[in-house]
Amino acid sequence: FHHKHSPKYPSGSFNVVRATDLINIASRLTVLILDVYPLGSAEGLGQNPNHHFHLQYLTELNLRTADKHDDVIDEVAEFLKLLVLPSLTKLALELVPEFGVDSLIVRSGCNISEFTVDGSRIFTTVDRFAQEDDTPDQLLLYWLDFMPNLQSLSMHDVEISLYYMGMFTLTKD
């Protein structure tokens, strides 16, 4: 699937509306990897709060915000609120408070075993973390609480303070 709209990535990014179009025609997807560029507004995307996209077979979701515009954060957050992914085991996305990984997991009833988190937006979203009264490491640990079956954690551009690092527990089975 290709489009011609993203100024930075002309052959591989989608806006959230195009992503929902894709989901509507490919409901049996097992892997969804999207570079999302800003649409300008996610208005209308979540007009019906009772409408969700049930992707029963999706086991892997990888979302990146290709153009690194702030606008895209709210749009991706609205998109994530629409998803129900009961078979999801692999999740990769950016460390942004609005993405609501906890809500996605609870709503879907899924068990994440592999989680990849990208912290490259942390310094451009400091204000967003301040509004949530969270630090990036607090948010990450909070999300991890919803992943009791986690077997693999990859962190890119994420700095964890020594205080929070001490909260990670490694066990040998």
Side-chain angles (χ1 to χ4, degrees):
F1 297 99
H2 297 289
H3 73 82
K4 297 178 176 134
H5 302 295
S6 175
K8 231 178 178 184
Y9 300 94
S11 63
S13 298
F14 280 77
N15 63 42
V16 290
V17 171
R18 287 274 300 157
T20 56
D21 291 344
L22 170 65
I23 289 170
N24 277 325
I25 61 170
S27 62
R28 296 184 67 88
L29 284 174
T30 58
V31 175
L32 180 59
I33 300 170
L34 290 175
D35 286 327
V36 183
Y37 75 95
L39 177 64
S41 170
E43 277 186 43
L45 189 61
Q47 280 184 337
N48 181 353
N50 296 321
H51 176 73
H52 288 100
F53 294 100
H54 292 263
L55 295 172
Q56 178 178 343
Y57 304 101
L58 195 81
T59 59
E60 181 178 346
L61 176 63
N62 185 332
L63 287 178
R64 294 179 295 258
T65 54
D67 293 344
K68 298 295 184 202
H69 289 119
D70 273 348
D71 297 347
V72 78
I73 293 173
D74 295 327
E75 295 168 19
V76 170
E78 288 302 312
F79 175 69
L80 286 169
K81 288 178 187 174
L82 298 176
L83 298 178
V84 176
L85 312 170
S87 299
L88 189 68
T89 59
K90 297 179 185 178
L91 179 61
L93 46 73
E94 293 162 322
L95 186 60
V96 176
E98 290 87 349
F99 285 178
V101 168
D102 52 322
S103 298
L104 173 66
I105 292 171
V106 169
R107 181 174 55 254
S108 299
C110 59
N111 290 304
I112 305 297
S113 61
E114 294 181 35
F115 183 48
T116 300
V117 62
D118 173 4
S120 63
R121 273 194 175 275
I122 289 173
F123 295 110
T124 62
T125 58
V126 170
D127 293 341
R128 291 175 182 269
F129 280 101
Q131 291 171 5
E132 300 290 326
D133 279 338
D134 275 336
T135 62
D137 38 14
Q138 286 173 322
L139 178 63
L140 177 59
L141 287 172
Y142 178 70
W143 285 355
L144 292 176
D145 278 342
F146 290 86
M147 303 177 196
N149 298 319
L150 190 67
Q151 297 173 1
S152 173
L153 172 63
S154 297
M155 298 184 293
H156 305 279
D157 294 323
V158 176
E159 291 185 26
I160 303 290
S161 69
L162 288 176
Y163 173 77
Y164 288 106
M165 189 61 74
M167 294 182 181
F168 281 91
T169 303
L170 300 176
T171 58
K172 184 177 179 182
D173 290 336

